[in-house]
Amino acid sequence: MRIRGDKVATVLNAKGKPGFVMDQGAVVLSLDAELLWGHIGALDEKRFCARYPNAGAAYDHVLRSLCNAGVSATWLVVGGMALGECRGAADARVKGLPAAWKRRIPAGNEVTSPLWYRRSFVRQLANASVPQEIGLHGGLSHLIWTDRHSAPDVAKVELEAGLTALRDAGAQPPASFSFPHNLERHHSLLAEAGLRCYRGAAPVLSERIGNTIPGAVLRAMDEIGRSAPPPVWPRQKMPGLWDIPASMFLHP
């Protein structure tokens, strides 16, 4: 999630000391690309297609639109999307994940399970006419890092398998990360894996309240009222790892 511009401002690190000098702030656009991985246990394929018709075509359309406008974005991709083939729960790459989670992962490929696997799209991102950054969204399977089963060793398996899947599909080693559902935990694993930044929570009341009915009402009011997103500053979470907070989330 790169930041560019032409004026100088000093960003403070976690200890309140100057961390780095950045140029004038810019709009940073990040897109979570997850297909059905983002709805494991919540939606089946039929309900997903009813809620998000032509999701694959929508990804293609957004990428074409960005390239036509000369705009670079950060695409935060679930690693599972980049797999050429997967054996489901029997796949060695998901061996370290919770059993209940593994059972939900289908065997297949881009032809047989296109709502799960889209290696060709990851390659489109890697070879786009206008450079697009490919980051990692969660790991291999969109495992929720704050889940009671997501112990550090489990999250590490999920993270490393996701990074490997992106690299095997032709992506550069990712520098950017986003947590599933933006629920943060195990930050040290990101730094150890060479990730440099992640998208943090927006400093607005609706995000502090979280995924609740009052939170949803406040988000709707912000969108209907076209509230101006607050400016945000990167902050150093730990050496080598930066939190780049969101100003606004656009939910479906």
Side-chain angles (χ1 to χ4, degrees):
M1 286 173 275
R2 298 176 291 267
I3 301 174
R4 298 177 179 141
D6 57 13
K7 289 187 179 178
V8 173
T10 299
V11 178
L12 302 183
N13 62 22
K15 295 182 178 179
K17 298 179 181 180
F20 65 84
V21 176
M22 63 175 266
D23 296 335
Q24 177 181 333
V27 173
V28 177
L29 178 63
S30 65
L31 306 165
D32 286 349
E34 54 190 36
L35 291 179
L36 245 171
W37 294 99
H39 302 272
I40 287 183
L43 297 178
D44 57 21
E45 293 195 4
K46 183 178 180 180
R47 291 170 62 202
F48 178 85
C49 289
R51 183 176 293 187
Y52 308 108
N54 302 316
Y59 283 29
D60 297 334
H61 175 72
V62 172
L63 178 58
R64 284 196 304 272
S65 299
L66 291 173
C67 290
N68 289 338
V71 174
S72 297
T74 297
W75 294 76
L76 296 151
V77 180
V78 174
M81 282 180 54
L83 297 178
E85 188 83 31
C86 181
R87 297 177 59 208
D91 199 292
R93 290 165 293 198
V94 303
K95 183 177 180 181
L97 300 183
W101 194 263
K102 288 191 293 187
R103 287 196 295 268
R104 298 166 176 169
I105 299 173
N109 54 43
E110 188 164 350
V111 175
T112 62
S113 301
L115 295 179
W116 296 86
Y117 306 106
R118 278 210 69 191
R119 173 174 275 201
S120 64
F121 181 72
V122 177
R123 288 176 169 166
Q124 287 180 55
L125 290 175
N127 298 305
S129 56
V130 175
Q132 305 291 309
E133 181 186 11
I134 302 176
L136 181 64
H137 183 31
L140 183 70
S141 69
H142 202 268
L143 180 69
I144 309 302
W145 285 39
T146 55
D147 183 86
R148 63 187 179 90
H149 297 295
S150 296
D153 58 333
V154 174
K156 185 174 182 179
V157 169
E158 165 81 351
L159 176 63
E160 291 179 348
L163 293 170
T164 299
L166 291 185
R167 288 195 295 266
D168 288 349
Q172 295 294 317
S176 301
F177 183 86
S178 66
F179 290 93
H181 301 331
N182 234 50
L183 298 174
E184 300 178 23
R185 202 175 191 181
H186 307 314
H187 296 85
S188 61
L189 294 179
L190 304 184
E192 291 168 6
L195 291 155
R196 297 175 56 199
C197 62
Y198 66 93
R199 187 186 60 213
V204 294
L205 181 58
S206 60
E207 293 302 317
R208 289 197 293 271
I209 293 176
N211 189 23
T212 62
I213 292 177
V217 170
L218 284 173
R219 282 192 291 274
M221 292 174 61
D222 287 342
E223 293 183 16
I224 293 171
R226 298 183 180 181
S227 300
V232 296
W233 291 94
R235 67 183 186 89
Q236 191 174 40
K237 179 69 176 181
M238 60 182 59
L241 182 68
W242 290 81
D243 174 358
I244 301 181
S247 285
M248 173 185 286
F249 283 102
L250 297 179
H251 296 267

